[in-house]
Amino acid sequence: MKAAAILGTALLAAAAHAGVVLPRQDTTTADSSDGLEPTQDLNDLLEQAKAQVINNVTETEQQLRKRGQTPRCTVKNLVFRREYGSLSKSERLSYVNAIKCLQNKPPRTPTSVAPGAKSRFDDFVVTHIQQTLSIHYSGIFQPWHRWFVYQYEKALRDECGYTGYQPYWDWPKYARAPQDSPLFNGDPYSLGGNGEYIPHDGPVIVPPPGVGGGNISLPAGEGSGFVTTGPFANMVVNLGPVGGLADTDPGPMGGLGYNPRGLKRDLGGAMNMRYANYTTVLKMLLQPNVDKYRIVSEGVPYTPEIGPHGGIHYTIGGDPGGDLFTSPGDPAFWVHHGQMDRLWTMWQALGLGGNRYTDLGSGSYAHRTWENNPESPLAQLTDVIDMGYAAPSTTIGEVMSTTGGEFCYFYL
Ligand SMILES: *[C@@H]1O[C@H](CO)[C@@H](O)[C@H](O)[C@H]1NC(C)=O
Ligand SMILES: *[C@@H]1O[C@H](CO)[C@@H](O)[C@H](O)[C@H]1NC(C)=O
Ligand SMILES: *[C@@H]1O[C@H](CO)[C@@H](O)[C@H](O)[C@H]1NC(C)=O
């Protein structure tokens, strides 16, 4: 696809939507479908969001130029992250090859910190393992993972010669059978196939020690064994597991030790359809504030309503995908969090007033600790996003807009 053509369409849409009208937020949209087909409402909202961002970048650029300043993010240098299945085969292959390259580069994490870190790819896994209990269900969750994905994309580009951008997994698109999608069908352009089928029960989530709640039983997928097809067949997982699933013994040194084993997955439609269909995505975009958005996205604490965030993590399932701590060790993590970031970006753009780029909320997910347990202050824009050995650190305020700070990207 030609960038100019894309931009042309976006700009036309921007003009058409100059007086964009916000959807009603107090009623659920008429949607009698099962959530397995996209609705016009959803498509309209996504187009509105795109138009808003292009408008905003254009206006900001003009204002800066008027003041004699040089804008950093312009319509010309804005880049787009795309849906995995919309990439050409050669684009998918270059993404896959860049991941393999990262998995073959030496780690920056000292052995004394994590003897299990064997590659640059593993540096990212270590950082996530170390901070899991402070970067989920807390005010830093969304900004932290935005910076995390961006730095991973940057490593693929700067250290492994990748010339594309981070693709995303449009969850509802393949909800009936994600294992057959371009992401996971096991062909040379996929992120590897499903795990081999072994009859099994679905996962049981056991809350980490020190936080409340009981066990949650989830539907089983269509795999659960080793991944034996596609580019990541026979991939070796070095770190973890840490914990979070019943019947999983932690690896050495709390998951930071060396624990080589094969990649397992348990993809299937049951969990994907239940937790991440088009109705879910529409519902996310219609939420009026960040506290409500996060309850839809991340789920109601300690209930089976685990939201699309958890729902898709457990749709990937297996090892390390099913382990909250070690999940970035499955290449599928990154396309999932690409979509998490995409939807947050879209929702931010629909806010018009602009406070969605500064408001971190005040609900139970807005504090510095996991679901405010133990009690802690609200997260602040000045709080540090620590990337450990994986990448440079920043602050929350720096990453609130994907067209501000160091960023200049958006989603198609
Ligand atoms: C939750 O699962 C764990 C691990 O399988 C088990 O030991 C525990 O008894 C379960 N708790 C409940 C309340 O079922
Ligand atoms: C679609 O997702 C919603 C939650 O967002 C859920 O209540 C509904 O059951 C899901 N539909 C299907 C077919 O599973
Ligand atoms: C435009 O985007 C910036 C962040 O990049 C934000 O601060 C500002 O509020 C946005 N303006 C509108 C009208 O949404």
Side-chain angles (χ1 to χ4, degrees):
M1 221 183 310
K2 292 268 186 303
I6 292 162
L7 230 47
T9 316
L11 284 170
L12 276 180
H17 283 289
V20 92
V21 178
L22 260 190
R24 298 179 313 272
Q25 289 165 336
D26 52 343
T27 54
T28 45
T29 327
D31 176 24
S32 56
S33 78
D34 52 7
L36 299 179
E37 300 302 330
T39 59
Q40 196 56 46
D41 285 350
L42 177 57
N43 292 339
D44 287 351
L45 276 182
L46 293 172
E47 285 311 309
Q48 278 186 31
K50 282 181 206 172
Q52 275 304 112
V53 166
I54 303 285
N55 255 346
N56 191 328
V57 169
T58 310
E59 270 170 32
T60 308
E61 185 180 346
Q62 283 167 355
Q63 278 165 13
L64 286 174
R65 285 200 200 284
K66 248 183 236 159
R67 282 188 246 145
Q69 292 171 326
T70 311
R72 221 197 35 79
C73 184
T74 66
V75 167
K76 267 211 189 82
N77 62 15
L78 183 65
V79 301
F80 293 95
R81 293 182 178 172
R82 292 158 57 196
E83 191 267 315
Y84 197 82
S86 76
L87 302 179
S88 70
K89 283 184 174 173
S90 78
E91 287 168 334
R92 284 180 238 166
L93 201 55
S94 57
Y95 177 67
V96 163
N97 285 339
I99 298 171
K100 288 189 168 180
C101 158
L102 218 52
Q103 292 179 332
N104 282 310
K105 290 233 184 256
R108 292 182 187 168
T109 311
T111 307
S112 56
V113 172
K118 298 294 181 190
S119 70
R120 271 298 278 145
F121 180 85
D122 285 347
D123 288 337
F124 289 86
V125 186
V126 168
T127 293
H128 192 270
I129 289 178
Q130 289 174 320
Q131 298 181 50
T132 292
L133 295 178
S134 56
I135 58 172
H136 298 96
Y137 307 108
S138 62
I140 208 169
F141 170 75
Q142 294 168 301
W144 196 95
H145 285 81
R146 171 173 284 169
W147 187 244
F148 193 47
V149 172
Y150 174 77
Q151 289 297 335
Y152 178 78
E153 173 189 70
K154 194 163 162 23
L156 294 174
R157 291 173 56 83
D158 295 355
E159 299 171 44
C160 285
Y162 177 52
T163 55
Y165 296 94
Q166 175 60 43
Y168 62 89
W169 172 1
D170 191 8
W171 318 311
K173 187 166 183 179
Y174 312 106
R176 284 187 177 88
Q179 67 276 20
D180 298 334
S181 71
L183 293 137
F184 300 115
N185 62 15
D187 75 15
Y189 320 101
S190 68
L191 300 177
N194 200 1
E196 286 199 305
Y197 179 67
I198 300 170
H200 62 290
D201 295 327
V204 178
I205 309 176
V206 182
V211 304
N215 297 352
I216 298 169
S217 295
L218 297 169
E222 313 275 333
S224 98
F226 291 114
V227 171
T228 60
T229 57
F232 296 103
N234 309 315
M235 182 190 128
V236 178
V237 178
N238 300 316
L239 292 149
V242 178
L245 284 182
D247 308 320
T248 309
D249 290 328
M253 290 184 66
L256 295 176
Y258 184 44
N259 186 20
R261 60 203 190 279
L263 174 68
K264 291 180 179 174
R265 284 184 182 144
D266 191 23
L267 291 153
M271 190 112 60
N272 197 152
M273 287 190 286
R274 166 69 179 79
Y275 289 109
N277 58 53
Y278 284 110
T279 310
T280 319
V281 169
L282 179 61
K283 195 171 163 191
M284 286 169 81
L285 294 181
L286 291 175
Q287 297 307 307
N289 62 52
V290 69
D291 293 321
K292 289 187 171 164
Y293 178 90
R294 297 192 57 189
I295 293 286
V296 178
S297 168
E298 293 157 55
V300 183
Y302 317 125
T303 73
E305 289 308 323
I306 61 172
H309 170 246
I312 291 292
H313 274 303
Y314 295 114
T315 296
I316 301 166
D319 177 24
D323 183 84
L324 176 65
F325 297 76
T326 323
S327 51
D330 184 327
F333 173 96
W334 302 92
V335 286
H336 172 32
H337 270 278
Q339 167 85 338
M340 284 293 291
D341 188 60
R342 168 181 178 246
L343 292 176
W344 181 34
T345 302
M346 295 293 181
W347 178 83
Q348 286 185 299
L350 291 168
L352 296 185
N355 79 330
R356 291 184 184 179
Y357 297 101
T358 50
D359 181 16
L360 297 172
S362 56
S364 61
Y365 291 169
H367 295 255
R368 289 196 176 130
T369 45
W370 175 297
E371 225 247 318
N372 196 22
N373 189 354
E375 269 181 46
S376 60
L378 291 171
Q380 307 287 332
L381 291 171
T382 48
D383 286 357
V384 171
I385 296 176
D386 180 0
M387 284 287 112
Y389 292 96
S393 298
T394 187
T395 61
I396 294 180
E398 285 296 311
V399 306
M400 289 299 286
S401 163
T402 69
T403 60
E406 198 178 307
F407 300 147
C408 192
Y409 72 86
F410 193 57
Y411 291 88
L412 285 183

